[in-house]
Amino acid sequence: MAQVKTCDLVETEQKAPEGETGGAQEGVSVPTLRRAVHRARILRDIKLRTNEVSATIVIAPDGFGKTTLLCQRVAEVQRDSSRGVARMIDAAGMDGEELYGLLGELEMHLDARMRPLVAIDNLPTLHGAALEGVAGRMRSLHRRGFEFLLACLPGNRAFANGMGDAYKVTPQALVVRPREYSDWTRMLGISGELDVYDLTQGIPALVAMLGIVDGRQLSLEAFSRAAAALYRGALEEMRRGRDSLYRTACLLVLTGAGSLRDFERIGMRVRVQSWSRIAREYPLFGVDVEQGTYRCLVQGSKAMGELCCQMTRARPLFAVRAIKILMAADNVDRAVRIAGMLEHTEDALGVLTEHPTSFALSGNVAFVRDMMESMGDVSAASTPVGGVLALYLSALMSGEFRLARALGSELRRRRNEIKGEVAPESWAQARALCNMWQDCRGIGLPEIDAAFTQGHATVASQDLELHARIYAELIGGSGDVTLESHIQGFTELSGEGVSIPRVLLACDRALVDAMCGDMGDVRAMDANMQRMATRLLERKVAPIATHIRMVAATCRLFSGLPVADERAFIDAGTLSVRTSDLATQLFCLVGEGWQALVLGQCSNALFRAHQVLKLATEDQRVVMAWARMLECCAHLADTPRMALDGEADLLDLAEPAQTPAEAWTAALRLAAAHRSSELSAWCSLNKKMLLTKGFTAFARQAVAVLGDKVGLITRVLPGDYAMAAGMDSEPAPREGEAPWEGSDDADLLLGQVNVRLFGGFQVERGGHVATDAIWRRRRACIIAARLVLAAGAFVGRKEIGEEVWPDKDYLHARETLYAGLSSLRSAFGQSDDGPQYVLTQGEGVAINTEYVVSDTMRFDALARDILLGRARTTGRQLIEACLRLDELYTGPLYVPNFGDTSFYVRQRRLYQTKFVDCMMRGAHVALELDDLPVASWLIDAALRQAPLREDVIRAAMHIYDKGGRRREVVELYNSHVHVLEQELHSLPERETQMAYEAIIHGDREVELLA
């Protein structure tokens, strides 16, 4: 007797014989059904037709549960008390004679009256007399009462056709139906979040494997390997049976998915009957004849990639044909992947020459460079014109403009060959792509008769031309652009492939929406743009990625999000310099200025605004308006209120504004000066200009940057000009808490040393002044002061020696420094197992700021916050910081009386200037809050340190006048004049004289200039 299977709802598919898979020598291992659901529907149909047909043939590829179905039918018959006789035979490896003899033995051993079931799995392929003999014996046994259930592969069509009176169970009947899927889910524990038919197309073996898919990479790889094994087995079966579908099936696997008409576009004719056979016999290819589509499973997986690579190397002609199909379907990315699997790149060069623009427009510039480099040292003159054009466009897309100039010159030299070797559609796309850099000198394409491309415009060329018009109007024109609804944003660009024209139009959509103030979910759009920029950088398409970053930075500015890419405008500006794009240069300069203003760098922002206003023309209305708003905001952010009061008096409010920018700059100046009545009148007079729809985003950006300083304007104008997102990514401090809290001496670490340099040299440990005798040594104090002023930075030994002992040579100074450092370590109490106060690395020496702090370090931290300012820092917090700084600055910086003291003198002047600037800033803020006592305290502190600074004198006179101390104003001014005449032989500045005269004569129309 032959081998008889016993199966408890388990299917074990046999390993196919060793052989090729698309030409690759490898055994085919198919997935195994460890557990399966009872196929009640199919079993019921088989039972109903038992008496009507001579046999039931289950014909399907591996993985469709043939063996499981046979096991379930055998178990069903064995449980039937009226029958109970069933045999399951594995006929793998048998020939027709052996199978015929086996059927004869069954006839002898089984009682026909019991209506026995004979289930034959892996039915061999039979032909001629063997087929007729086996079929005849089965019919004879069926007439006596035998039931036959057979399972075979689709390649065994000859036997299926020979048994014309048999009932056929096709692969379509074996797939898991939606009504059955709930049973599979319960038994196998399949996650309800999985898209079962998208992943498996209902193939039972793959549906059973969904139980192990849990999102982890290992489970996904196992599932992909199982799916690839099914395709490998199907292709191997076709190859062994010399099936005419083999080539078509290989192309389906290589191309992955698409339209059936793509095969006709390259002149490959596939009969409708062939498509119908694939759809009927091999559902795993996903062929839908009615819709004209196909889709293979797990296309991008590693396992399918390995299968495609094996097929490509075994059948390179199939791969070339697949590449042509993919190029016709505009699936360039997959065509590049298949081409990269070819061992001989000459096969792909023809496709590159035939489609010179497709690779550049899809961002696959690296592929073009690799193809050209694979040709070796071949000159451009001997390269086909299509290849030169492809390399030229790739050089443009990767930013290699020098190479593009050389290739452009070669194309101009061979212009007569272009018409014969380049398709008109490709030339139209190349012209449109080249026009993006039309201002770049020397990279233009040769001029060819317009009739050559007339009527051959493509969607890509039209999109590129549309982008050129939109971008020119946005950046270098009025900005009055209306986009059509079909132009999608970055949210819709979520596919795997990249289309450069669509990406550029999405950038235009983002810019227009940003300037109109209607961007929707800005953070989601920004994330999509960043992902696209990253993908393009991976493809080495740097210019387009830089353009996307610039657009993303612009959208973040208009939406009020924090600055995330400080180099976006810088890199885009650098690229525009290389391409001589003046309009983009100016736009990037303004963008840099706004970023600087958001970061608190008012001087930098004002400088950028002046640059743009000097270079831009009146036609560039968007850039001019944005620059004027930047100039106004930078000036207002960095100017004290008392100066703004004077400027507000000089505004001519009688004449209405001519542009929205002019109306808004005046309104912002009035709001910053707290001129509520004038602001109300100005807004009423220029309401139409202020509420211009296209200028709303610019206005909201300005109001958000200036914040509370122009908060009055939000109460005067209708509408909401406040940003939903903050301009600073740092969390706001709690009420009453300054941003610089936490640096007090009370939080000192154990073993920490505090060095004070203001008002003399002093060392404290644990809050007590150190009185150790070692600190009386001048050498240790000087070295400690020098290292503390470096604030943790390493100072060279030679530099210290030259400063402390300038009269000694290098060797003696080095020896003395060595002794001085030893004394300093002893003074700090440094030991091998304790805190390391003094650090040495190479020739550098530094103090460890973890254990050594100083009043100069705290001074620098406070001064940085006071002078540079922070968003969300209130005036009271800033005044508190100024008072703490006044408490910290107990006197001029320590200057030793030994050695070269020039460094210490410079530092003393620097700290003194910083202190006076901070006191002035605090006094201005106190004036804005009408806190005259604090303003007087701070201005007096500034006067003590800089009695001759003219701006300090003017501010002091103004504060004294506000407090009714006019006598002190006269005394201050007269003493200042006396000192200048007697010691410097000069007079006060013009602004100081005007301020004094305004106070003394009560002329309120002449405002103080601070």
Side-chain angles (χ1 to χ4, degrees):
M1 291 288 291
Q3 180 183 359
V4 179
K5 285 185 180 179
T6 60
C7 181
D8 184 16
L9 301 185
V10 176
E11 175 177 353
T12 303
E13 301 281 5
Q14 295 297 314
K15 189 172 183 179
E18 296 292 331
E20 293 186 305
T21 299
Q25 296 292 332
E26 184 177 344
V28 179
S29 179
V30 297
T32 301
L33 284 180
R34 299 300 178 189
R35 300 175 67 191
V37 178
H38 188 68
R39 308 304 299 274
R41 173 181 55 84
I42 305 175
L43 293 173
R44 184 173 58 253
D45 292 342
I46 293 175
K47 184 177 181 180
L48 291 175
R49 290 176 171 81
T50 298
N51 299 325
E52 302 174 2
V53 296
S54 60
T56 299
I57 304 176
V58 182
I59 179 168
D62 291 331
F64 279 76
K66 303 185 299 296
T67 303
T68 300
L69 187 65
L70 266 62
C71 289
Q72 292 178 356
R73 177 58 181 160
V74 168
E76 189 177 56
V77 171
Q78 290 176 345
R79 288 193 298 269
D80 189 353
S81 58
S82 63
R83 299 179 64 180
V85 179
R87 294 289 185 272
M88 185 168 177
I89 303 170
D90 185 0
M94 292 185 181
D95 55 17
E97 185 176 348
E98 292 175 334
L99 183 58
Y100 185 84
L102 178 61
L103 293 176
E105 294 179 10
L106 290 174
E107 183 180 6
M108 296 173 56
H109 290 86
L110 297 179
D111 187 357
R113 293 173 298 177
M114 300 296 296
R115 293 178 297 140
L117 168 66
V118 179
I120 303 177
D121 195 12
N122 297 317
L123 184 71
T125 303
L126 304 176
H127 299 283
L131 189 154
E132 293 179 358
V134 171
R137 176 61 64 90
M138 287 184 179
R139 289 191 180 96
S140 173
L141 292 175
H142 173 69
R143 286 191 293 270
R144 294 185 55 193
F146 279 73
E147 176 187 349
F148 286 96
L149 180 60
L150 316 174
C152 63
L153 296 172
N156 206 346
R157 287 182 302 279
F159 186 85
N161 295 333
M163 295 285 291
D165 55 344
Y167 171 54
K168 280 93 175 173
V169 179
T170 64
Q172 296 292 348
L174 292 174
V175 298
V176 179
R177 302 290 177 84
R179 291 185 178 179
E180 299 175 293
Y181 182 63
S182 59
D183 297 333
W184 290 72
T185 303
R186 286 194 301 269
M187 176 175 284
L188 304 176
I190 300 173
S191 172
E193 298 178 356
L194 297 176
D195 190 344
V196 56
Y197 289 102
D198 183 69
L199 289 171
T200 67
Q201 294 180 359
I203 299 174
L206 298 183
V207 174
M209 288 203 67
L210 290 180
I212 69 169
V213 176
D214 54 5
R216 292 180 299 178
Q217 188 64 30
L218 290 177
S219 65
L220 296 176
E221 290 179 359
F223 180 83
S224 301
R225 287 195 298 271
L230 293 181
Y231 286 104
R232 185 178 283 109
L235 294 175
E236 177 63 21
E237 180 201 351
M238 295 180 192
R239 189 194 63 80
R240 287 199 310 267
R242 300 182 181 276
D243 197 324
S244 61
L245 299 180
Y246 176 63
R247 183 185 66 165
T248 305
C250 287
L251 293 178
L252 293 177
V253 173
L254 288 172
T255 54
S259 171
L260 301 182
R261 284 189 288 270
D262 295 337
F263 288 75
E264 300 176 1
R265 293 177 183 176
I266 65 168
M268 180 178 175
R269 295 184 179 180
V270 181
R271 295 181 302 173
V272 177
Q273 293 82 354
S274 298
W275 291 126
S276 300
R277 269 194 58 201
I278 295 177
R280 184 175 62 254
E281 299 177 5
Y282 297 96
L284 64 163
F285 293 102
V287 174
D288 188 334
V289 180
E290 293 184 1
Q291 299 294 330
T293 60
Y294 66 95
R295 187 183 68 84
C296 296
L297 301 173
V298 293
Q299 304 168 37
S301 65
K302 180 180 178 181
M304 286 297 285
E306 293 174 354
L307 175 60
C308 291
C309 188
Q310 295 170 4
M311 295 168 58
T312 298
R313 293 178 179 176
R315 297 286 191 271
L317 293 180
F318 286 4
V320 173
R321 185 65 61 88
I323 292 172
K324 292 182 178 180
I325 294 173
L326 292 168
M327 294 302 296
D330 201 23
N331 190 352
V332 185
D333 285 358
R334 188 169 182 87
V336 168
R337 285 198 294 270
I338 300 300
M341 299 175 185
L342 289 168
E343 292 182 338
H344 304 288
T345 56
E346 295 84 356
D347 298 328
L349 288 177
V351 179
L352 179 65
T353 304
E354 186 179 353
H355 304 275
T357 59
S358 299
F359 298 96
L361 293 177
S362 61
N364 290 288
V365 297
F367 169 76
V368 178
R369 297 297 300 273
D370 293 342
M371 287 294 102
M372 289 303 176
E373 289 175 1
S374 66
M375 297 174 60
D377 298 331
V378 179
S379 63
S382 58
T383 303
V385 172
V388 177
L389 181 59
L391 190 58
Y392 163 82
L393 296 175
S394 298
L396 282 181
M397 297 302 294
S398 59
E400 300 173 279
F401 298 110
R402 179 177 298 179
L403 176 61
R405 289 187 182 93
L407 294 171
S409 176
E410 177 66 18
L411 288 171
R412 288 190 291 273
R413 189 183 67 82
R414 302 170 61 180
R415 59 182 299 174
N416 294 331
E417 304 177 24
I418 293 175
K419 285 187 176 182
E421 299 187 25
V422 178
E425 294 81 5
S426 297
W427 187 251
Q429 293 174 352
R431 294 284 305 183
L433 191 60
C434 176
N435 288 338
M436 290 175 53
W437 293 278
Q438 58 183 351
D439 296 327
C440 189
R441 184 177 56 189
I443 67 169
L445 290 173
E447 294 292 337
I448 298 183
D449 186 8
F452 178 57
T453 57
Q454 188 174 4
H456 294 281
T458 63
V459 175
S461 64
Q462 292 174 347
D463 288 346
L464 289 172
E465 292 171 356
L466 178 60
H467 159 70
R469 294 194 299 270
I470 294 173
Y471 185 72
E473 189 63 29
L474 283 175
I475 303 300
S478 64
D480 186 13
V481 175
T482 302
L483 297 183
E484 299 179 5
S485 58
H486 75 276
I487 298 180
Q488 300 174 337
F490 278 93
T491 306
E492 289 78 12
L493 300 181
S494 57
E496 294 184 1
V498 173
S499 172
I500 298 299
R502 291 181 61 197
V503 168
L504 292 173
L505 286 178
C507 289
D508 297 336
R509 166 67 69 184
L511 276 178
V512 171
D513 292 344
M515 293 180 181
C516 294
D518 184 19
M519 287 180 283
D521 189 349
V522 185
R523 296 183 184 273
M525 183 180 67
D526 180 74
N528 290 331
M529 284 192 281
Q530 299 301 335
R531 282 194 292 268
M532 181 59 71
T534 302
R535 291 174 61 186
L536 291 176
L537 285 176
E538 292 173 352
R539 294 170 180 246
K540 304 186 185 304
V541 190
I544 308 301
T546 302
H547 180 75
I548 295 175
R549 289 171 53 208
M550 180 197 74
V551 173
T554 304
C555 294
R556 293 182 72 89
L557 284 176
F558 279 113
S559 62
L561 293 177
V563 176
D565 188 359
E566 294 187 31
R567 292 202 56 87
F569 288 109
I570 297 175
D571 293 343
T574 303
L575 178 65
S576 63
V577 170
R578 295 178 59 198
T579 58
S580 303
D581 187 355
L582 180 60
T584 303
Q585 291 180 46
L586 297 178
F587 187 85
C588 292
L589 280 176
V590 184
E592 285 183 56
W594 278 106
Q595 281 191 344
L597 184 59
V598 170
L599 297 174
Q601 303 167 5
C602 300
S603 300
N604 192 1
L606 193 60
F607 174 71
R608 293 287 184 266
H610 289 163
Q611 278 185 305
V612 175
L613 292 175
K614 185 186 301 182
L615 298 174
T617 62
E618 293 298 330
D619 295 337
Q620 296 172 300
R621 284 182 279 175
V622 170
V623 173
M624 287 288 289
W626 207 21
R628 290 191 188 281
M629 295 294 287
L630 173 62
E631 179 190 33
C632 176
C633 293
H635 175 72
L636 295 179
D638 200 35
T639 304
R641 179 182 168 185
M642 58 184 178
L644 295 177
D645 286 339
E647 295 177 3
D649 289 332
L650 302 177
L651 292 176
D652 186 4
L653 304 181
E655 290 293 330
Q658 301 300 319
T659 62
E662 183 180 342
W664 270 100
T665 53
L668 292 172
R669 290 176 184 273
L670 292 173
H674 288 199
R675 301 291 184 88
S676 57
S677 57
E678 290 92 335
L679 176 61
S680 179
W682 177 258
C683 292
S684 178
L685 182 63
N686 299 275
K687 184 176 181 180
K688 184 177 180 180
M689 281 294 176
L690 289 170
L691 300 181
T692 301
K693 184 178 180 181
F695 206 78
T696 303
F698 296 91
R700 291 179 68 244
Q701 181 189 17
V703 173
V705 171
L706 294 175
D708 294 338
K709 197 162 191 175
V710 294
L712 184 62
I713 204 169
T714 60
R715 296 192 292 271
V716 175
L717 285 176
D720 181 16
Y721 286 94
M723 293 289 187
M727 297 300 292
D728 193 351
S729 59
E730 298 183 9
R734 294 189 297 270
E735 184 67 26
E737 177 186 351
W740 42 79
E741 290 287 352
S743 61
D744 203 346
D745 294 340
D747 298 328
L748 293 178
L749 296 173
L750 182 64
Q752 193 174 73
V753 174
N754 182 19
V755 180
R756 296 183 180 273
L757 298 180
F758 290 126
F761 184 85
Q762 180 180 316
V763 178
E764 296 179 358
R765 184 192 297 272
H768 301 282
V769 178
T771 58
D772 300 347
I774 198 168
W775 283 111
R776 301 173 191 169
R777 298 181 183 180
R778 181 173 55 182
R779 181 166 42 192
C781 296
I782 296 174
I783 297 175
R786 182 64 180 86
L787 297 180
V788 164
L789 287 174
F794 282 88
V795 184
R797 297 173 185 266
K798 183 178 181 181
E799 183 179 351
I800 298 176
E802 291 175 350
E803 291 180 0
V804 183
W805 302 280
D807 55 338
K808 293 185 178 182
D809 57 42
Y810 175 71
L811 293 179
H812 287 83
R814 186 179 181 87
E815 294 174 358
T816 309
L817 176 61
Y818 179 81
L821 290 176
S822 299
S823 300
L824 183 60
R825 293 189 181 95
S826 300
F828 281 132
Q830 180 171 328
S831 59
D832 294 339
D833 56 351
Q836 301 299 302
Y837 296 95
V838 181
L839 307 176
T840 56
Q841 290 186 3
E843 289 295 316
V845 184
I847 53 112
N848 188 349
T849 55
E850 183 179 358
Y851 294 102
V852 180
V853 297
S854 68
D855 52 357
T856 56
M857 298 177 190
R858 291 192 290 274
F859 181 98
D860 289 333
L862 285 170
R864 185 183 303 111
D865 289 323
I866 294 169
L867 296 178
L868 299 182
R870 286 194 183 193
R872 303 182 184 179
T873 301
T874 65
R876 288 297 175 190
Q877 292 171 347
L878 193 142
I879 289 174
E880 179 65 24
C882 291
L883 294 175
R884 294 180 63 190
L885 190 70
D886 180 44
E887 181 182 359
L888 190 65
Y889 191 80
T890 57
L893 186 72
Y894 163 74
V895 175
N897 57 358
F898 179 79
D900 185 2
T901 61
S902 58
F903 172 78
Y904 299 91
V905 172
R906 290 195 304 271
Q907 292 295 313
R908 170 182 281 189
R909 293 173 181 170
L910 178 63
Y911 279 108
Q912 191 176 47
T913 302
K914 284 183 182 179
F915 176 77
V916 175
D917 291 341
C918 291
M919 295 301 104
M920 290 284 289
R921 175 74 187 278
H924 290 318
V925 174
L927 273 182
E928 292 181 359
L929 299 177
D930 294 327
D931 194 343
L932 287 177
V934 172
S936 298
W937 180 280
L938 297 177
I939 203 63
D940 288 342
L943 272 174
R944 286 195 298 270
Q945 300 301 324
L948 297 181
R949 269 183 57 166
E950 298 281 344
D951 57 340
V952 178
I953 298 295
R954 292 194 294 271
M957 291 191 301
H958 182 71
I959 292 172
Y960 291 166
D961 180 48
K962 288 279 188 181
R965 301 157 60 183
R966 296 174 64 86
R967 182 183 296 277
E968 295 183 32
V969 173
V970 176
E971 292 176 357
L972 177 62
Y973 182 75
N974 289 337
S975 63
H976 180 61
V977 172
H978 176 75
V979 172
L980 291 179
E981 289 178 348
Q982 296 298 323
E983 297 184 9
L984 302 179
H985 306 288
S986 64
L987 294 174
E989 294 177 356
R990 175 66 176 168
E991 292 83 355
T992 307
Q993 297 177 21
M994 293 174 60
Y996 177 73
E997 293 173 0
I999 293 173
I1000 297 303
H1001 297 93
D1003 187 359
R1004 312 312 296 177
E1005 294 182 359
V1006 180
E1007 188 53 74
L1008 301 179
L1009 299 176

